Amino acid sequence: MLFQYGWNSMAIKVLHIISSLGEGGVERMLAAFIRGSEGRFVHRVAAINDTGIFSKGLPPDTVTALGRRCRIDAGLPFRIKRIINEFSPDIIQTYAFTGNLWGRLAAALSGRKAVTYERGTAAAVNPFFDLIDRTLSFAETVRICNSETSRILAEKKSGIKKTTVVENFISPGNGALYEPSSDGKIRIAVVGRLHWKRGAFLLPQIVKRALERSVQTRFIITGSGPLKEQLEKDLSDEISNGTVEFTGRVDDPETVYKRSDMGLFLNLTESFGNALCEFLARGIPVVAPDCDNFPFLAVNGENAVLYEKTARTPYRFVNVCGGGIRKGLAGDPEIIAASIMKMISDLGTFRAKAGSLRSRYLKFSAERYISEIGALYESLLFPEKSVK
């Protein structure tokens, strides 16, 4: 039996250290993980900034907001240490750069080590972030990477050797909920945070080029973020004539997926691709980059058109391509628009193939994720009892 000492006798106490449970894929997944594993683990969240929207619906007193006072808040690790001492967790898990930085410092101050969740690809090219990551690696037991490409980046770029891969989980949805367009227009959905790291700065150029080629097209842009206001200004004419719709953040993304004919995924720093995977799990074909984890998720020419990231940008990020690391790659709006037209030209075939491939994505279930994380926690707490 795998969990001889943990789940069968007592719940494992886990302290999660993260910026907040605000908008973002990791934050949403952590909140869903806490709700889905109730009874198996006892959770506590130390939110460095504030509680965030995803804290709603969690058990009372689960999330403690530490209210970081400034970027370099010298008292913050000691406030986290106080929570560690009070809660006495079996596992300390940290998330993203901010959570990994302050969480590992607090763990070290408490004479503990942390399990760190990979920080994505955005920070890996920054020498300062890399230096901090390497310096604090003594205070972590293992780095959880959400894909093989994430592991490659952690090991090759940041020199992290203690890694394990636990792929993300998604909401699989229901492809049968699809609602055909009432006016015959092809609806292209963009789902995710409107941030430069998510490729949102490319949207105005892509939209305008695509609409020049096909007037029977409408873009549905879902999400919020620092670029939302500027994007609405840049696309004000398209909003007025009904070819672009901004929904803002939605509590139930199914309301967008069910009226999507195809998806557009532009993320520049995503090491897994939750939104991409959720499109494909619903039988919605996607136009997406051909780097990072995406070629392992999507089948080019069947449920996706994968374009090459070729254009140089002033932003600093990295991509894992064919096992190698390439810096500063984004996407050419002209190439992306052409990729959209390629899918539109044979959309019926792409949708049929995407529907037939839906079962490939059932493995990204919450149950599988909880089981694998539980097995990891058990192996760290009771190495002599874990089953190989």
Side-chain angles (χ1 to χ4, degrees):
M1 183 175 293
L2 184 58
F3 305 122
Q4 299 179 58
Y5 282 73
W7 297 356
N8 285 351
S9 59
M10 64 182 69
I12 295 174
K13 297 169 67 177
V14 186
L15 174 63
H16 306 274
I17 303 172
I18 194 168
S19 291
S20 77
L21 287 179
E23 297 183 31
V26 172
E27 293 86 345
R28 183 177 67 156
M29 195 174 72
L30 174 56
F33 171 50
I34 292 172
R35 289 193 299 269
S37 61
E38 188 176 357
R40 297 179 176 181
F41 307 114
V42 176
H43 296 282
R44 180 92 178 265
V45 178
I48 290 170
N49 296 321
D50 50 48
T51 54
I53 57 173
F54 292 126
S55 63
K56 296 178 181 178
L58 297 183
D61 303 321
T62 297
V63 185
T64 299
L66 297 169
R68 181 169 55 165
R69 302 183 181 100
C70 57
R71 292 187 68 85
I72 306 299
D73 184 348
L76 183 58
F78 295 96
R79 298 201 295 279
I80 299 174
K81 180 183 178 222
R82 190 177 306 121
I83 293 176
I84 293 173
N85 293 338
E86 292 172 356
F87 184 54
S88 189
D90 300 302
I91 296 288
I92 300 170
Q93 184 159 339
T94 65
Y95 300 81
F97 178 77
T98 302
N100 287 345
L101 167 61
W102 298 108
R104 286 182 294 181
L105 279 173
L109 288 171
S110 304
R112 303 282 300 275
K113 290 188 176 184
V115 175
T116 63
Y117 183 85
E118 63 87 25
R119 59 201 169 102
T121 64
V125 76
N126 187 306
F128 176 67
F129 288 171
D130 266 341
L131 176 61
I132 292 176
D133 209 29
R134 292 170 186 267
T135 302
L136 290 176
S137 62
F138 77 93
E140 67 181 67
T141 56
V142 67
R143 173 75 55 90
I144 299 176
C145 301
N146 60 14
S147 68
E148 185 61 23
T149 51
S150 172
R151 184 193 63 77
I152 291 171
L153 193 61
E155 294 187 358
K156 288 189 176 182
K157 180 62 182 174
S158 301
I160 306 299
K161 299 303 180 184
K162 298 171 291 185
T163 63
T164 188
V165 175
V166 179
E167 293 177 308
N168 287 1
F169 68 88
I170 64 166
S171 169
N174 184 351
L177 295 177
Y178 172 69
E179 296 178 355
S181 173
S182 60
D183 58 7
K185 289 194 173 183
I186 295 171
R187 300 156 301 176
I188 304 172
V190 181
V191 177
R193 193 158 184 255
L194 300 177
H195 192 283
W196 72 263
K197 291 191 293 186
R198 304 296 190 261
F201 65 92
L202 295 169
L203 274 172
Q205 299 178 65
I206 294 169
V207 169
K208 292 177 187 296
R209 283 169 168 79
L211 291 174
E212 287 173 359
R213 291 167 167 82
S214 174
V215 295
Q216 290 300 106
T217 302
R218 179 186 295 120
F219 285 82
I220 303 172
I221 300 173
T222 296
S224 61
L227 293 185
K228 182 174 183 291
E229 185 176 344
Q230 184 60 49
L231 290 173
E232 288 176 328
K233 289 180 180 178
D234 293 342
L235 293 169
S236 58
D237 290 344
E238 289 77 12
I239 294 172
S240 298
N241 64 31
T243 53
V244 170
E245 173 190 349
F246 280 85
T247 69
R249 191 190 70 82
V250 295
D251 291 328
D252 181 11
E254 211 65 51
T255 60
V256 175
Y257 287 128
K258 70 181 182 182
R259 58 191 186 99
S260 303
D261 298 300
M262 56 183 282
L264 175 61
F265 188 80
L266 300 171
N267 205 314
L268 304 177
T269 60
E270 176 64 72
S271 51
F272 179 77
N274 276 40
L276 171 65
C277 202
E278 290 190 348
F279 276 121
L280 300 176
R282 290 162 173 79
I284 303 170
V286 182
V287 172
D290 68 350
C291 283
D292 302 317
N293 195 48
F294 314 145
F296 298 98
L297 290 176
V299 183
N300 194 20
E302 296 194 26
N303 61 2
V305 173
L306 301 181
Y307 62 85
E308 184 179 359
K309 291 182 179 179
T310 56
R312 293 281 166 178
T313 78
Y315 303 110
R316 297 173 62 83
F317 49 85
V318 297
N319 300 117
V320 178
C321 303
I325 299 171
R326 302 168 65 186
K327 299 180 182 179
L329 298 176
D332 185 331
E334 190 67 29
I335 292 175
I336 298 172
S339 299
I340 291 172
M341 292 304 108
K342 180 179 179 180
M343 179 167 286
I344 288 176
S345 68
D346 197 12
L347 186 57
T349 301
F350 275 105
R351 285 193 60 87
K353 289 182 177 180
S356 68
L357 291 172
R358 284 187 61 209
S359 60
R360 289 168 56 102
Y361 306 98
L362 297 178
K363 66 178 182 177
F364 300 114
S365 67
E367 293 76 14
R368 184 270 315 163
Y369 179 87
I370 292 170
S371 177
E372 290 184 9
I373 289 292
L376 173 62
Y377 290 167
E378 288 279 344
S379 70
L380 295 173
L381 293 172
F382 313 108
E384 73 286 357
K385 299 295 182 182
S386 61
V387 177
K388 303 293 184 182

